[in-house]
Amino acid sequence: SAVISQKPSRDICQRGTSLTIQCQVDSQVTMMFWYRQQPGQSLTLIATANQGSEATYESGFVIDKFPISRPNLTFSTLTVSNMSPEDSSIYLCSAGPGGTEETQYFGPGTRLLVL
Amino acid sequence: GESVGLHLPTLSVQEGDNSIINCAYSNSASDYFIWYKQESGKGPQFIIDIRSNMDKRQGQRVTVLLNKTVKHLSLQIAATQPGDSAVYFCAENTVGNQFYFGTGTSLTVIP
């Protein structure tokens, strides 16, 4: 299984600012994903972070608001731009070795509060 | 994304009893499913998975059952322990390796 770390683990930010969340995997993985989890809710997929190409966003999420980088097979970042209180959430990174029917593992999450 | 839902949002069981958590999925083309456990303040933790060519898979104290006819998935936990208290999610794998999650069931084990 892959071990995934995220930084920061939590942050409190002001409205209108941006925060970049880092995700590091301890081994090379083909697939990396970013999810959002509102308090007491399920996980919603934001986008697939593709290595060497632009991220693939799910309906309701756009690159201008959630730019994603994937410079190599072990690292990705998610930026939450021009934040508002509605962006307060837990942001989770996941990774999998790739291919269909492959397990995905999750990082511990970044808890974001926007004031 | 696909709709993956759970029948019971909360479940309380006595320690030592068996727990059953249910999940319905909507995409008949989904061919891989995972159950995750999420404890407070942590990311989801893999429990067990099952492929669509199987209808049952067993792990340590856990069993997953898949009924493709009615698009239903269940997680059975044997001899439930206080450490099993958490929120449980089923996740459905579609093309492109994306996983879509159900709403979650909060399991509380009563000592």
Side-chain angles (χ1 to χ4, degrees), chain A residues 37 42 58 99 101 103-104 111, chain B residues 32 36 38 41 97 100 102:
Chain A
Q37 185 177 28
S42 186
E58 295 294 302
E101 304 183 357
T103 300
Q104 287 189 14
R111 283 147 186 80
Chain B
Y32 180 53
Y36 287 95
Q38 187 175 30
N97 303 305
Y100 295 97

Side-chain angles (χ1 to χ4, degrees), chain B residues 10 14 21 25 36 59 67 71 77 94 99 111:
Chain B
T10 62
Q14 290 290 140
I21 300 171
Y25 64 94
Y36 287 95
N67 186 330
K71 292 185 286 188
I77 305 173
T94 65
F99 280 85

Side-chain angles (χ1 to χ4, degrees), chain A:
Chain A
S1 65
V3 177
I4 302 169
S5 59
Q6 287 185 232
K7 289 195 296 187
S9 59
R10 60 181 65 242
D11 208 342
I12 301 174
C13 300
Q14 295 297 318
R15 181 194 300 260
T17 63
S18 297
L19 176 71
T20 295
I21 302 167
Q22 299 179 9
C23 178
Q24 180 74 53
V25 188
D26 70 339
S27 59
Q28 292 187 341
V29 292
T30 304
M31 311 298 294
M32 293 184 75
F33 303 89
W34 287 97
Y35 290 82
R36 181 172 71 184
Q37 185 177 28
Q38 306 281 8
Q41 302 287 323
S42 186
L43 285 74
T44 301
L45 180 63
I46 297 172
T48 302
N50 301 308
Q51 197 268 329
S53 64
E54 196 169 279
T56 304
Y57 290 84
E58 295 294 302
S59 176
F61 297 97
V62 295
I63 187 171
D64 290 346
K65 176 66 176 177
F66 298 103
I68 288 171
S69 78
R70 178 86 192 275
N72 56 51
L73 293 176
T74 64
F75 187 78
S76 178
T77 67
L78 170 75
T79 298
V80 186
S81 303
N82 188 24
M83 288 184 285
S84 67
E86 291 71 34
D87 295 319
S88 297
S89 190
I90 301 169
Y91 291 87
L92 292 151
C93 169
S94 75
T100 58
E101 304 183 357
E102 292 287 353
T103 300
Q104 287 189 14
Y105 298 93
F106 282 83
T110 296
R111 283 147 186 80
L112 171 62
L113 176 63
V114 184
L115 303 177

